[in-house]
């Protein structure tokens, strides 16, 4: 079972998002805890909010007091509503939120039924509940619940626990070529991506970009690929490096094969639906692009936004480090296309979410968000095997960059031009030896 924990400031958005699923008959409210009941038994967003309001009013200092948790069993698991209720209750108890008000929603809009829990991390006295080691505790809770309810365990990854992860390229260093090589020679082993654009989105996290070149040689059209290192602004800072310097796997022909293989594998990837839901939740529970990105980064997802010279968003790419897949927004859903995000964020970078539920006579106490510039995209703590397990979460003891090491340290000292030359000399020597024997 996979747990995703999102935090935000907009509880109306979180409740409305889930209630809309219910209204559209794509979901149901399975259970509530410490939520006021109504005389007629009908549930509305206003009525649900009234149970959370005293908690939120008691603490106005916490910037993100809203919890939006999704629990996703393996698609092969058949979980009854009764068990879903127990799983939600047990999970909240194990996480220290058992005394909090919360609502459990079941979503049936996709084949893989799952649940969402909306709650708050502020108790009735205004004290913020500790989130120390939250992701580790969540991972342990999932493993315990898998055993208790006989759910399929998360897929084991038999990776080398000693193998460390990629490191962003520093163009100021002398060994830029080796730095680039240590990333691109290994990306296809771990990630699935379906196009050069998706590949470049992934490369951008490591300060690298690739460009396709085309021309003619002896009357035949030829295609190639060159790589550049980027600076902090995303600008090219080096001369181009031919893909042949890094081996066949870095060239266009091998990449095309990888694109086709990725398309087949990603067609039926269960991670697609989980990622789609995480993005939709972030859209409804954040107020601007920066917070949207941060919320997804906390869940192991990087967001790459592409804009033209006029500032219009024309591309959205999401990199899910948990499933190690790269998706364009439009591949996930029409509602996650670039045009949708362009409308959400077109006014001073702040998105306005149309509320599908009419909220009347509701006074919200809103904390003023500090204006902050969007941060440069940085790689998430990429690989589960960094901790020697298959956790779907990442250690909070490492920052996004500090947790990164170099991939295969020996690769950092290699000179690939020298290696290519040495290989050619070996081949030439073998040819000469064969001729000498004749």
């Amino acid at each position: 079972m996979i747990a995703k924990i999102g935090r935000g400031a907009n509880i109306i958005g979180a409740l409305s998002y889930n209630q809309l699923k219910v209204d559209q008959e794509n979901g149901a409210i399975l259970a509530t805890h410490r939520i006021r009941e109504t005389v007629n038994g009908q549930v509305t967003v206003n009525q649900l909010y009234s149970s959370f309001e005293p908690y939120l009013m008691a603490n106005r200092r916490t910037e993100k007091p809203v919890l939006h948790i999704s629990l996703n069993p393996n698609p092969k698991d058949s979980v009854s509503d009764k068990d879903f209720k127990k799983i939600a209750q047990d999970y909240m108890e194990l996480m220290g939120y058992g005394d909090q008000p919360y609502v459990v929603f079941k979503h049936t809009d996709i084949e893989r039924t799952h649940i969402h829990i909306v709650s708050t991390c502020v108790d009735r006295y205004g004290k913020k509940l500790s989130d120390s080691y939250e992701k580790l505790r969540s991972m342990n809770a999932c493993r315990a619940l898998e055993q208790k309810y006989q759910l399929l365990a998360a897929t084991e990854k038999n990776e080398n626990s000693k193998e460390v992860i990629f490191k962003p390229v520093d163009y100021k260093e002398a060994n830029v070529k080796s730095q680039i090589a240590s990333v691109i020679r290994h990306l296809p082993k771990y990630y699935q991506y379906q196009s050069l654009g998706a590949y470049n989105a992934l490369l951008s996290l490591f300060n690298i970009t690739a460009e396709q070149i085309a021309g003619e040689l002896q009357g035949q059209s030829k295609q190639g690929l060159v790589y550049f290192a980027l600076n902090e602004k995303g600008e090219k800072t080096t001369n181009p490096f031919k893909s042949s310097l890094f081996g066949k796997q870095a060239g266009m022909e091998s990449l095309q094969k990888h694109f086709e293989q990725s398309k087949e594998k990603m067609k039926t990837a269960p991670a697609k639906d989980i990622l789609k839901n995480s993005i939709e939740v972030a859209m409804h529970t954040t107020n601007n692009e920066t917070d949207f990105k941060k919320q997804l980064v906390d869940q192991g997802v990087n967001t790459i936004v592409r804009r033209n010279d006029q500032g219009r968003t024309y591309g959205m790419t999401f990199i899910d480090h948990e499933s190690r897949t790269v998706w364009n927004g439009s591949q996930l859903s029409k509602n996650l296309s670039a045009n949708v995000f362009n409308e959400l964020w077109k006014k001073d970078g702040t998105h306005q979410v149309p509320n599908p539920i009419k909220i009347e006579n509701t006074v919200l106490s809103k904390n003023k968000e500090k204006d902050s510039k969007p941060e440069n995209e940085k790689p998430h703590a990429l690989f589960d095997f960094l901790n020697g397990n298959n956790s779907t979460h990442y250690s909070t003891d490492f920052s996004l960059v500090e947790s990164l090491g170099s991939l295969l340290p020996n690769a950092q000292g290699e000179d690939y031009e020298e290696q290519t030359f040495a290989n050619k000399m070996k081949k030439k020597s073998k040819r000469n030896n064969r001729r000498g024997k004749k």
Side-chain angles (χ1 to χ4, degrees):
M1 183 173 70
I2 296 173
K4 295 279 191 178
I5 304 176
R7 292 177 177 269
N10 184 3
I11 196 164
I12 290 293
L15 293 170
S16 297
Y17 166 78
N18 287 281
Q19 185 61 39
L20 184 61
K21 300 280 187 181
V22 177
D23 294 342
Q24 294 175 340
E25 299 183 350
N26 288 323
I29 294 179
L30 289 186
T32 60
H33 185 259
R34 295 189 181 277
I35 298 295
R36 297 173 185 171
E37 297 182 359
T38 58
V39 176
N40 58 11
Q42 293 183 348
V43 177
T44 65
V45 173
N46 273 336
Q47 177 255 326
L48 293 174
Y49 171 75
S50 66
S51 297
F52 292 101
E53 187 175 22
Y55 291 76
L56 301 176
M57 293 291 288
N59 182 339
R60 301 188 182 188
R61 296 189 304 275
T62 301
E63 291 185 2
K64 295 184 179 181
V66 180
L67 290 173
H68 195 150
I69 302 164
S70 69
L71 299 180
N72 305 270
N74 188 295
K76 296 180 181 179
D77 284 319
S78 180
V79 184
S80 66
D81 287 354
K82 182 179 179 181
D83 281 346
F84 263 133
K85 293 178 186 178
K86 292 180 180 177
I87 289 170
Q89 180 180 356
D90 288 350
Y91 180 85
M92 295 299 279
E93 289 285 350
L94 290 170
M95 293 300 293
Y97 301 127
D99 291 331
Q100 295 296 95
Y102 61 82
V103 187
V104 182
F105 295 88
K106 180 177 76 170
H107 287 197
T108 57
D109 53 333
I110 56 178
E111 292 182 5
R112 179 189 47 75
T113 302
H114 57 288
I115 57 175
H116 284 228
I117 306 171
V118 178
S119 186
T120 175
C121 61
V122 175
D123 69 15
R124 71 185 74 180
Y125 305 109
K127 180 182 178 181
K128 180 182 179 296
L129 300 179
S130 173
D131 58 359
S132 297
Y133 306 104
E134 183 178 70
K135 293 186 171 81
L136 179 61
R137 290 189 289 113
S138 178
M139 178 192 72
N140 293 334
C142 287
R143 301 295 83 80
L145 294 175
E146 285 171 351
Q147 293 183 7
K148 181 176 180 179
Y149 295 96
Q150 298 182 339
L151 304 177
L152 292 174
T155 305
E156 292 292 335
K157 301 285 193 295
N158 296 321
E159 303 286 357
N160 182 359
S161 61
K162 294 182 180 179
E163 187 175 31
V164 288
I165 55 182
F166 302 103
K167 180 180 179 181
V169 170
D170 185 352
Y171 69 93
K172 298 175 184 177
E173 298 291 332
N175 62 338
V176 172
K177 183 171 56 184
S178 293
Q179 292 183 64
I180 294 176
S182 70
V183 174
I184 65 175
R185 294 181 74 200
H186 302 279
L187 274 182
K189 298 178 184 178
Y190 300 108
Y191 282 83
Q192 303 296 323
Y193 36 85
Q194 303 181 38
S195 66
L196 184 60
Y199 180 52
N200 260 324
L202 185 56
L203 287 176
S204 70
L205 299 184
F206 307 100
N207 303 332
I208 304 171
T209 190
E211 284 189 6
Q212 194 171 4
I213 55 175
E216 285 192 6
L217 181 63
Q218 297 178 352
Q220 293 183 343
S221 61
K222 297 288 184 180
Q223 290 186 339
L225 203 66
V226 293
Y227 292 86
F228 299 86
L230 304 176
N231 62 15
E232 297 84 355
K233 298 180 181 179
E235 302 167 334
K236 299 174 191 173
T237 58
T238 63
N239 292 324
F241 295 97
K242 294 180 181 179
S243 62
S244 58
L245 296 174
F246 309 117
K248 290 183 178 179
Q249 73 282 344
M252 202 62 220
E253 185 176 345
S254 293
L255 283 174
Q256 289 289 2
K257 292 179 181 178
H258 187 77
F259 298 159
E260 294 302 319
Q261 292 171 356
S262 296
K263 285 180 183 178
E264 290 301 314
K265 292 179 181 179
M266 292 169 67
K267 277 181 182 178
T268 56
K272 177 179 180 180
D273 294 327
I274 298 175
L275 176 61
K276 174 178 174 290
N277 272 286
S278 296
I279 296 169
E280 288 177 343
V281 168
M283 291 172 69
H284 284 79
T285 57
T286 59
N287 297 314
N288 53 65
E289 180 180 339
T290 301
D291 286 346
F292 173 84
K293 288 182 176 181
K294 285 181 178 178
Q295 181 161 315
L296 288 179
V297 163
D298 287 342
Q299 299 180 55
V301 178
N302 278 114
T303 305
I304 307 299
V305 182
R306 297 184 297 282
R307 290 187 173 89
N308 60 21
D309 294 338
Q310 288 72 44
R312 181 178 179 81
T313 301
Y314 68 86
M316 295 290 296
T317 303
F318 300 95
I319 302 170
D320 183 358
H321 297 294
E322 181 181 307
S323 64
R324 303 176 193 176
T325 52
V326 185
W327 303 84
N328 287 330
S330 56
Q331 289 179 312
L332 296 169
S333 170
K334 292 181 180 178
N335 296 328
L336 302 181
S337 66
N339 287 335
V340 172
F341 284 94
N342 189 67
E343 290 300 314
L344 293 179
W345 296 334
K346 67 180 180 179
K347 295 182 180 180
D348 299 325
T350 301
H351 96 238
Q352 304 292 328
V353 178
N355 194 344
I357 310 298
K358 186 176 181 181
I359 309 296
E360 297 179 353
N361 301 323
T362 302
V363 179
L364 301 180
S365 59
K366 295 184 178 179
N367 296 319
K368 292 185 178 179
E369 299 279 348
K370 295 181 179 179
D371 294 330
S372 57
K373 297 181 180 179
E375 295 181 349
N376 291 333
E377 285 300 309
K378 299 174 183 178
H380 193 264
L382 297 176
F383 294 116
D384 296 335
F385 61 72
L386 180 63
N387 295 321
N389 57 46
N390 66 304
S391 164
T392 58
H393 303 287
Y394 304 89
S395 171
T396 55
D397 294 333
F398 301 95
S399 71
L400 297 187
V401 173
E402 288 171 348
S403 64
L404 300 172
S406 59
L407 176 63
L408 304 176
N410 292 338
Q412 294 291 343
E414 296 180 18
D415 187 326
Y416 294 97
E417 284 182 348
E418 182 177 333
Q419 186 64 44
T420 301
F421 175 74
N423 291 338
K424 288 181 179 179
M425 293 303 294
K426 286 180 181 179
K427 290 179 182 178
K428 184 176 180 180
S429 176
K430 288 179 180 179
R431 286 197 300 269
N432 290 338
N433 289 337
R434 285 197 296 268
R435 289 171 184 170
K437 292 178 180 180
K438 291 180 180 179

